[in-house]
Amino acid sequence: MSKLQALIFDVDGTLSDTERDGHRVAFNRAFADAGLDWDWSVELYGDLLSVTGGKERLTYYLERYRPDFQPPKPVAEFVADLHAAKTKHYLDILAEHGIPLRPGVERLLTEARESGLRLAIATTTTPANVTALLESVLPGKLSWFEVIGAGDVVPAKKPAPDIYNYVLNQLRLDPDQCLAFEDSELGLRSSLGAGLKTIVTINPYTTGQDFSGAALVVDNLGAPAQPIDIFAGNGFGSTYVDVDLLCKLFGRR
Ligand code: XBP
Ligand code: MG
């Protein structure tokens, strides 16, 4: 059996809860700038998250919720421009107040590095968003991540496995040498599709989704003084997710 070599993390919803107060707000600011009276409520955004990728999500919104809307330019161009404005707002939001890492993330990343594990990112979000988030929550530590696979680097976004396959290829590792971390059903389908054992940390938008096939489903990564809730999988008696538990889940100590 292979030895555990690397951990591959999703970003939005997994490293930080960026969707509700980050991406959603940025979309709404871009709509206001463009003179559009669209408002993506917290609840509506839950439905829109059924499509990954900001441009793809905008296209879905137009088709499903604004079928009579006539864009002032070809729809792909309209969506691309609106999305570029949204990205600027998202970066502004990060600069304004930041969005903290989820519980246990920095601890596990630190422990993983100390154990010699390699780190990587596999996300559908725009590369600039990942860099800005990591620089704000882990200043000076961007280099912790050997590979950052993000956005349009692959044509098919999650739930397609392409972004995980891309990252594995860049790491020159096989899926049976890595573990993935996700927060959503679509993300899990992507990581499982690439053959990766996956740990899911749910969040308010993904509670109740189908996480069949995950190695472990928990509320967050926890801490020694902050025990986790385990919804599926074997926690091997651990009260939080550490490298020791990851090795047990991986199948080798
Ligand atoms: C989450 C997404 C992203 C963000 C928006 O990605 O689906 O689309 O909501 O980002 P993940 P962009 O959980 O894989 O990190 O607007 O930059 O696409
Ligand atoms: Mg996610």
Side-chain angles (χ1 to χ4, degrees), residues 234-246:
N234 188 347
F236 294 93
S238 299
T239 57
Y240 62 101
V241 179
D242 61 1
V243 170
D244 185 55
L245 173 56
L246 295 184

Side-chain angles (χ1 to χ4, degrees), residues 15-86:
L15 292 185
S16 299
D17 271 324
T18 49
E19 294 291 7
R20 192 189 71 176
D21 300 328
H23 292 293
R24 183 186 68 88
V25 174
F27 279 112
N28 283 334
R29 288 188 186 177
F31 300 153
D33 284 356
L36 299 160
D37 66 349
W38 305 342
D39 179 50
W40 286 4
S41 67
V42 171
E43 189 189 1
L44 170 64
Y45 198 66
D47 172 53
L48 300 176
L49 284 172
S50 63
V51 176
T52 65
K55 292 189 287 293
E56 293 79 357
R57 189 168 301 141
L58 281 166
T59 305
Y60 167 74
Y61 175 72
L62 289 176
E63 287 165 0
R64 167 137 193 209
Y65 292 95
R66 301 279 168 184
D68 299 328
F69 176 72
Q70 298 289 330
K73 54 182 99 165
V75 68
E77 204 182 313
F78 173 75
V79 163
D81 289 352
L82 205 48
H83 186 254
K86 175 260 169 179

Side-chain angles (χ1 to χ4, degrees), residues 87-100:
T87 298
K88 283 202 187 103
H89 281 297
Y90 183 74
L91 298 176
D92 286 348
I93 289 166
L94 288 180
E96 278 163 27
H97 55 71
I99 300 174

Side-chain angles (χ1 to χ4, degrees), residues 23-210:
H23 292 293
R24 183 186 68 88
V25 174
F27 279 112
N28 283 334
R29 288 188 186 177
F31 300 153
D33 284 356
L36 299 160
D37 66 349
W38 305 342
D39 179 50
W40 286 4
S41 67
V42 171
E43 189 189 1
L44 170 64
Y45 198 66
D47 172 53
L48 300 176
L49 284 172
S50 63
V51 176
T52 65
K55 292 189 287 293
E56 293 79 357
R57 189 168 301 141
L58 281 166
T59 305
Y60 167 74
Y61 175 72
L62 289 176
E63 287 165 0
R64 167 137 193 209
Y65 292 95
R66 301 279 168 184
D68 299 328
F69 176 72
Q70 298 289 330
K73 54 182 99 165
V75 68
E77 204 182 313
F78 173 75
V79 163
D81 289 352
L82 205 48
H83 186 254
K86 175 260 169 179
T87 298
K88 283 202 187 103
H89 281 297
Y90 183 74
L91 298 176
D92 286 348
I93 289 166
L94 288 180
E96 278 163 27
H97 55 71
I99 300 174
L101 289 168
R102 293 192 61 189
V105 170
E106 184 166 5
R107 173 192 52 75
L108 184 63
L109 292 172
T110 305
E111 255 187 54
R113 277 172 52 79
E114 287 166 4
S115 308
L117 292 172
R118 299 162 69 191
L119 301 175
I121 297 281
T123 175
T124 63
T125 202
T126 304
N129 296 349
V130 184
T131 312
L133 178 71
L134 293 175
E135 277 172 349
S136 72
V137 290
L138 291 169
K141 296 170 180 169
L142 191 60
S143 61
W144 282 14
F145 298 92
E146 204 176 307
V147 176
I148 296 182
D152 297 324
V153 70
V154 290
K157 292 184 177 166
K158 298 174 187 178
D162 302 32
I163 192 67
Y164 278 102
N165 288 331
Y166 169 87
V167 170
L168 287 168
N169 190 39
Q170 295 286 310
L171 288 169
R172 298 190 183 281
L173 291 175
D174 292 324
D176 68 355
Q177 297 175 295
C178 306
L179 288 173
F181 292 78
E182 276 288 351
D183 69 302
S184 69
E185 180 179 343
L186 295 177
L188 175 65
R189 275 164 50 195
S190 173
S191 58
L192 291 180
L196 287 153
K197 273 194 183 176
T198 305
I199 289 97
V200 173
T201 51
I202 61 168
N203 63 49
Y205 271 131
T206 65
T207 304
Q209 293 184 350
D210 180 2

